[in-house]
Amino acid sequence: MRLSVERKPVKVYPDTKRVIARFFFNGEERAVELIKKILAMDRERVFGLVSPLLQDFSKRHRSITKKLLRHCERVRVDIERAGADYETLDEYTKLLIGAYFTHEYSIESAAFFNPSIVADPDQTNLEEGQLRVIISFRAVGEGHVSSVVFRRAIIDRQNNITVTPAGNYIDEAEKIHNLIYHKRQFLRKAKEEDINGEFLDIVDKRLGDRFDYDQLKALIMEVKQDTKDPKIIRQYNMILSLSDSYRRISFSKDTDISDRVIFPISDFEIKGIEDARFVRFTDDNGRIIYYATYTAYDGVHIMPKLLKTTDFYEFKTSPLHGEGARNKNLALFPRKINGKYAMLSRIDGWNNYLMYSDNINEWDEPIKIQSPEYSWELVQIGNCGSPIETESGWLVITHAVGPMRRYSIGASLLDINNPEKEIGRLKDPLIVPNPDEREGYVPNVVYSCGSIIHNDELIIPYGLSDHSSGFVTVNLKTLLDRLTSGG
């Protein structure tokens, strides 16, 4: 018999008006010809085109002139090929060129789903029994490109949820390359991605134990000149993309959390940043760090990656290494266990695994701890976010796939000191798609990337058939009693 859950009336829907201004490029030949036509315009014509553009799009983007000038800078080489000196161009010409190399991208136009939830670092000005939370979502736009977006919400003492409306603007982060790479880790990940072995030997011989992005890029550009093999050149481009997987990104301090989007930057994630599982992690010194595991996807390769922040303004990203980091569905425990980091994974696509590590970026020796058992989970079982510590053990919300590829949400309980040991598992799903939830971008799916406990209830935000997101609550004691008594 299924446990009783309460579906909250609040829903979070995609908003097609939430757009970002992205660089738009149709190839070098077309770019040069386009720029020549712009350069042929007189100053009055240029101003007459730019002025209404700025009036129109400044209502849709913060600092639109800054974005247009940045995109103009990106075609500097093409401007010079068109016969102009970039430095002597007036600002209005630069703005117009930038506008022709810009397009709007609606980040939530296709789907909005797979939320995770953590306590906000800011808990000021709240009433007793309230909790401020940050909810991350997977947003999908044109071309099925996924990004990470955020909303803020307040949970009151009755666990009613009020989601703060999103702001009027949304901004990508600035991209800042990491200054230093550790050669051992870099080479290991490159080998896992089947990157050209001869070049990796050159890196090993010519670069030190630590090197920066500029040193790596200079070496790649040097050796690329020695080959015309498109396969090898593609490999070198992949190496640059891999190096771009280590980066620091920052958002302006005058942005609301809903204004920030983590959009794919490197080639390794050009098709999407999928299913971020945020967790509030407490380190050995009691410091709070927010981590998120996510899947970077380039259309062919899957690369599990780690996101780190303390304030949701500054983020650091890095790839995850090892035989346990070879598929989707990684979820970090909120603290170390017996002195080691712990992680859930689903390396084979259909069973749950547990891993321990001294290094948060390296994951080896996965241990299978769960396999599909009941009819509603026979296709696969995986986690729905990081385990939650309770007095009875580690509460793991799971997703499961059954007949007709219907996704359900279940729950398991693992031993607090030895999470390899399963204490209990629900025999029936906790949440299944009801008639109002089964239609969407991907039908018959309920899915979550992280839950939270507040006021003696488990609160699960969940995606509704990849279209929108909702919330359910369940009494924590009732759930734990069921899990400890045999499901």
Side-chain angles (χ1 to χ4, degrees):
M1 181 180 297
R2 288 174 52 202
L3 285 173
S4 175
V5 301
E6 180 185 353
R7 280 174 163 84
K8 296 294 185 179
V10 61
K11 296 287 189 298
V12 188
Y13 293 99
D15 184 352
T16 57
K17 296 190 298 295
R18 292 170 61 76
V19 294
I20 54 177
R22 306 225 76 228
F23 182 65
F24 172 69
F25 192 75
N26 264 335
E28 179 183 314
E29 182 180 359
R30 292 177 65 176
V32 171
E33 290 304 311
L34 171 59
I35 292 169
K36 286 180 178 178
K37 292 176 181 178
I38 299 170
L39 295 174
M41 298 178 186
D42 60 37
R43 184 177 178 83
E44 183 177 353
R45 174 64 172 157
V46 169
F47 180 80
L49 291 172
V50 169
S51 181
L53 280 174
L54 296 181
Q55 293 180 43
D56 184 11
F57 287 92
S58 63
K59 301 180 180 68
R60 296 166 64 85
H61 302 277
R62 181 188 286 108
S63 302
I64 186 62
T65 56
K66 182 179 179 180
K67 294 178 174 65
L68 298 184
L69 292 173
R70 185 186 304 138
H71 293 170
C72 179
E73 169 73 21
R74 290 186 63 173
V75 294
R76 181 178 187 140
V77 172
D78 301 289
I79 291 172
E80 293 171 354
R81 288 191 180 114
D85 180 1
Y86 175 84
E87 296 295 342
T88 61
L89 292 179
D90 66 272
E91 185 176 24
Y92 286 109
T93 300
K94 288 182 178 180
L95 287 170
L96 185 58
I97 292 173
Y100 275 102
F101 289 92
T102 301
H103 76 121
E104 286 191 327
Y105 184 90
S106 178
I107 61 171
E108 301 173 11
S109 60
F112 191 77
F113 56 112
N114 294 2
S116 73
I117 185 170
V118 290
D120 194 317
D122 177 15
Q123 295 294 321
T124 59
N125 301 319
L126 295 178
E127 299 176 3
E128 184 178 352
Q130 289 185 324
L131 178 70
R132 183 179 290 114
V133 295
I134 292 174
I135 310 167
S136 69
F137 297 88
R138 176 179 170 186
V140 178
E142 177 188 354
H144 198 80
V145 177
S146 300
S147 57
V148 178
V149 298
F150 303 95
R151 300 288 193 276
R152 183 172 274 119
I154 298 289
I155 307 173
D156 69 15
R157 66 181 65 190
Q158 286 80 38
N159 280 349
N160 297 310
I161 301 166
T162 303
V163 179
T164 305
N168 294 326
Y169 299 106
I170 187 161
D171 284 331
E172 293 181 79
E174 297 179 6
K175 181 179 68 169
I176 306 173
H177 289 110
N178 269 3
L179 297 178
I180 300 296
Y181 304 97
H182 298 272
K183 183 164 67 177
R184 182 182 65 84
Q185 286 188 353
F186 184 86
L187 291 177
R188 179 178 181 181
K189 192 62 182 177
K191 290 175 182 176
E192 290 174 0
E193 299 299 328
D194 297 323
I195 288 175
N196 182 268
E198 291 183 9
F199 177 76
L200 296 184
D201 289 339
I202 295 174
V203 170
D204 197 17
K205 292 175 183 177
R206 294 180 53 178
L207 296 180
D209 291 337
R210 296 186 177 190
F211 54 89
D212 62 26
Y213 178 80
D214 290 336
Q215 289 173 306
L216 177 65
K217 184 175 180 179
L219 183 58
I220 290 174
M221 294 306 172
E222 177 186 335
V223 298
K224 275 178 70 174
Q225 296 176 4
D226 297 331
T227 181
K228 296 186 181 298
D229 187 335
K231 293 182 180 179
I232 300 298
I233 292 174
R234 194 178 307 119
Q235 288 281 302
Y236 291 156
N237 292 336
M238 287 179 65
I239 295 166
L240 283 176
S241 298
L242 176 61
S243 67
D244 203 25
S245 294
Y246 301 82
R247 64 172 181 268
R248 183 172 67 253
I249 58 178
S250 61
F251 292 91
S252 172
K253 294 297 188 293
D254 64 357
T255 59
D256 180 68
I257 186 71
S258 67
D259 296 342
R260 304 166 211 159
V261 55
I262 301 177
F263 197 84
I265 296 175
S266 75
D267 288 344
F268 260 111
E269 58 190 28
I270 196 67
K271 285 296 184 180
I273 296 173
E274 301 181 357
D275 299 343
R277 287 161 159 78
F278 277 89
V279 61
R280 184 178 184 269
F281 184 89
T282 305
D283 71 9
D284 293 338
N285 298 319
R287 186 177 56 151
I288 302 301
I289 305 168
Y290 293 87
Y291 289 108
T293 53
Y294 70 92
T295 303
Y297 183 56
D298 67 358
V300 178
H301 303 92
I302 291 171
M303 178 185 285
K305 296 178 70 173
L306 187 70
L307 197 63
K308 175 183 177 181
T309 185
T310 58
D311 58 7
F312 288 86
Y313 287 103
E314 302 280 338
F315 295 84
K316 292 182 179 180
T317 70
S318 57
L320 296 172
H321 311 273
E323 63 175 308
R326 286 187 171 272
N327 210 317
K328 301 181 179 183
N329 227 220
L330 278 76
L332 184 69
F333 280 68
R335 64 169 174 82
K336 289 184 177 180
I337 299 175
N338 301 321
K340 292 181 178 292
Y341 294 103
M343 181 92 79
L344 294 178
S345 71
R346 199 191 67 213
I347 61 172
D348 57 11
W350 57 295
N351 297 291
N352 265 337
Y353 289 78
L354 174 69
M355 303 173 292
Y356 299 103
S357 180
D358 294 318
N359 185 323
I360 200 168
N361 288 99
E362 297 187 8
W363 298 94
D364 290 303
E365 301 179 359
I367 305 162
K368 184 160 67 175
I369 61 171
Q370 290 181 316
S371 296
E373 187 173 331
Y374 302 112
S375 61
W376 49 281
E377 61 183 20
L378 290 184
V379 174
Q380 73 185 50
I381 184 174
N383 69 73
C384 272
S386 294
I388 302 172
E389 188 168 7
T390 74
E391 60 182 15
S392 301
W394 292 107
L395 176 60
V396 179
I397 306 306
T398 59
H399 74 264
V401 182
M404 299 298 295
R405 198 176 175 266
R406 183 173 71 171
Y407 276 69
S408 303
I409 292 177
S412 301
L413 192 65
L414 308 179
D415 186 86
I416 198 70
N417 295 313
N418 180 19
E420 299 171 33
K421 178 183 177 182
E422 182 185 81
I423 296 172
R425 187 193 311 192
L426 292 184
K427 295 178 180 177
D428 298 295
L430 195 61
I431 311 171
V432 297
N434 68 21
D436 296 329
E437 299 171 341
R438 64 180 303 185
E439 308 297 348
Y441 191 57
V442 181
N444 303 308
V445 174
V446 288
Y447 194 96
S448 178
C449 287
S451 306
I452 198 168
I453 293 173
H454 185 56
N455 293 330
D456 300 320
E457 287 188 322
L458 175 70
I459 302 170
I460 307 175
Y462 67 107
L464 313 175
S465 296
D466 289 12
H467 171 262
S468 56
S469 295
F471 302 85
V472 303
T473 59
V474 59
N475 182 273
L476 180 62
K477 183 178 184 306
T478 301
L479 175 59
L480 294 176
D481 287 347
R482 178 68 66 88
L483 288 167
T484 55
S485 64

